[in-house]
Amino acid sequence: MKPHRLDSVSLVFGLLFLSLTGWWVLGQVVHVSGSTLAWTGAAALVGIGILGIAASIIGNRTRPEDRPDEPVDI
């Protein structure tokens, strides 16, 4: 099987759904107030946004050896 590139969008949504499921399971076991849930959700969204910005900045960098010397006509 050939390895493939990491799909960051799918990874972020997978982690988001996994965290929501984990939060639901935790809420079934431990009583969690609404304000705690709101602050935690807001912090999670801010964290995901920061990770998305970092991924887009890092993903746009190319090494000098990856750049072609002259433009390619298609």
Side-chain angles (χ1 to χ4, degrees):
M1 179 191 248
K2 270 178 41 175
H4 54 84
R5 279 191 64 187
L6 177 68
D7 183 11
S8 58
V9 174
S10 297
L11 178 65
V12 167
F13 278 105
L15 290 174
L16 178 66
F17 288 128
L18 184 64
S19 64
L20 288 174
T21 304
W23 188 262
W24 177 80
V25 169
L26 183 66
Q28 297 298 315
V29 176
V30 180
H31 177 68
V32 180
S33 68
S35 64
T36 303
L37 178 63
W39 280 106
T40 305
L45 289 174
V46 168
I48 290 170
I50 290 171
L51 287 175
I53 291 171
S56 68
I57 291 172
I58 292 171
N60 287 337
R61 294 183 185 172
T62 57
R63 296 181 300 218
E65 60 268 9
D66 289 344
R67 295 185 192 139
D69 293 332
E70 49 189 73
V72 177
D73 292 330
I74 297 177

